[in-house]
Amino acid sequence: RKEVEQDPGPFNVPEGATVAFNCTYSNSASQSFFWYRQDCRKEPKLLMSVYSSGNEDGRFTAQLNRASQYISLLIRDSKLSDSATYLCVVNYWGAGNMLTFGGGTRLMVKP
Amino acid sequence: DADVTQTPRNRITKTGKRIMLECSQTKGHDRMYWYRQDPGLGLRLIYYSFDVKDINKGEISDGYSVSRQAQAKFSLSLESAIPNQTALYFCATSGPDRDRGQETQYFGPGTRLLVL
């Protein structure tokens, strides 16, 4: 079983739609959580951290459920420029700030 | 200028050849990492280094070696390349992000390697 699991998609949505991605992680000792965005053939870039209380950054909302070991990302009012692969990432400090990556969820926003 | 650079950006080589991938950073970070990415598998950690004298194996270090020549430089070598090492390789650094108040990893642009 992978340590971080995501639905690979693709999620095909029209512009303006709301779309949600989910992620589960297996290591209950995981301490930090992130969503990274990766454009085709480019490097991953940090989109946002995920905090226990949930957090929002513009059209993006991230939530964490530690009891269920579940992370989500909600994108409202999707733009064409949101088309990318979204990587769920967890960090276990006991392993020296090692990041464990999910396989990514591909989003395609259509006009 | 990019904070994390990788050379070469693309490389085609033959089975059995020795290949070195270079990574340089101008962020002043002590921590550096090498990952490989394969379709559907996400990024997997090959090696990491917390300072010049500290080198550690990651999840998939077999067939690879690294050298931390200076704080700013971390190179990855494939001593005898094989076709299943065909992948996209990323170097990353890790350091504090003042805006976010936590440590963040920053990735280089990647090296696309094809082993024939």
Side-chain angles (χ1 to χ4, degrees), chain A residues 13-76:
Chain A
V13 303
E15 259 187 302
T18 295
V19 61
F21 306 138
N22 303 319
C23 165
T24 57
Y25 60 94
S26 60
N27 187 345
S28 60
S30 297
Q31 292 164 288
S32 301
F33 308 88
F34 310 91
W35 283 101
Y36 274 71
R37 172 192 167 127
Q38 186 174 23
D39 294 297
C40 188
R41 298 175 180 270
K42 301 281 190 179
E43 72 274 23
K45 292 185 179 179
L46 180 63
L47 176 66
M48 60 194 301
S49 303
V50 187
Y51 302 118
S52 297
S53 55
N55 50 296
E56 196 173 295
D57 183 359
R59 296 181 294 108
F60 298 84
T61 301
Q63 301 231 315
L64 167 65
N65 184 323
R66 285 188 186 268
S68 302
Q69 295 179 201
Y70 171 97
I71 305 161
S72 65
L73 176 68
L74 182 78
I75 305 176
R76 290 181 301 279

Side-chain angles (χ1 to χ4, degrees), chain B residues 19-115:
Chain B
I19 296 295
M20 180 179 285
L21 309 184
E22 309 269 9
C23 177
S24 294
Q25 53 115 345
T26 58
K27 298 190 77 66
H29 291 164
D30 287 324
R31 301 181 182 210
M32 297 187 74
Y33 309 80
W34 274 104
Y35 295 90
R36 67 176 277 175
Q37 186 174 32
D38 300 276
L41 293 180
L43 277 77
R44 292 182 292 166
L45 184 64
I46 305 172
Y47 269 95
Y48 61 101
S49 169
F50 285 171
D51 64 40
V52 175
K53 298 179 183 178
D54 178 74
I55 302 287
N56 303 280
K57 292 183 177 181
E59 179 188 352
I60 51 163
S61 59
D62 287 348
Y64 301 95
S65 62
V66 291
S67 174
R68 185 80 184 268
Q69 303 93 321
Q71 186 201 41
K73 296 185 182 296
F74 191 35
S75 59
L76 175 73
S77 293
L78 288 67
E79 297 299 328
S80 179
I82 55 177
N84 76 2
Q85 290 178 313
T86 292
L88 182 55
Y89 290 85
F90 287 106
C91 174
T93 73
S94 176
D97 182 332
R98 291 193 187 87
D99 290 339
R100 299 177 190 273
Q102 65 184 117
E103 189 150 337
T104 301
Q105 285 202 10
Y106 301 87
F107 287 82
T111 295
R112 211 164 272 281
L113 177 65
L114 173 61
V115 183

